[in-house]
Amino acid sequence: MQDPATATTEGESTEAVGPDATSGSTIRERVASVLSGEQFVAAFRRRTERSPSNPVVSRERFDALDSLPDETFDTTPVRTELVVYSETYVYRWVVTAGTVERTRLPRDPAAMAREQ
């Protein structure tokens, strides 16, 4: 699976923000699909509910792929963000107004410097 917005710089592939094409899949299935063989390190989910002037923020940490929720992204909070660390990349899903967008960045600082 590859998002339509993809740029390549000096051999490194970085996926820009774009719609996530795996709608209907559970969070665990989406992460497993994108990792496709990469080693899972950790994941963090932050959910913001209520109004921007009076937000309620909850945070969760997941230490194993199997501990990720076996449910689809909930679009009822104001904003949900899921950040997944693999050995080589950082994946980030952002859910706002029912839209799920995904970004992938390399974890290597040298690769990040080349992208700038």
Side-chain angles (χ1 to χ4, degrees), residues 3-7 13-19 92 101-105:
D3 286 55
T6 301
S13 175
T14 300
E15 293 179 17
V17 173
R92 180 175 175 248
E101 295 183 340
R102 185 187 69 187
T103 307
R104 181 183 83 172
L105 296 169

Side-chain angles (χ1 to χ4, degrees), residues 27 45 47 49 71-80 95 98:
I27 295 170
R45 179 167 66 171
R47 295 165 48 114
E49 300 184 73
E71 59 194 35
T72 59
F73 277 109
D74 184 4
T75 58
T76 56
V78 174
R79 179 182 171 103
T80 300
V95 183

Side-chain angles (χ1 to χ4, degrees), residues 59-79:
R59 293 175 176 86
E60 297 172 89
R61 177 187 170 119
F62 304 96
D63 293 321
L65 183 60
D66 291 341
S67 67
L68 285 169
D70 197 19
E71 59 194 35
T72 59
F73 277 109
D74 184 4
T75 58
T76 56
V78 174
R79 179 182 171 103

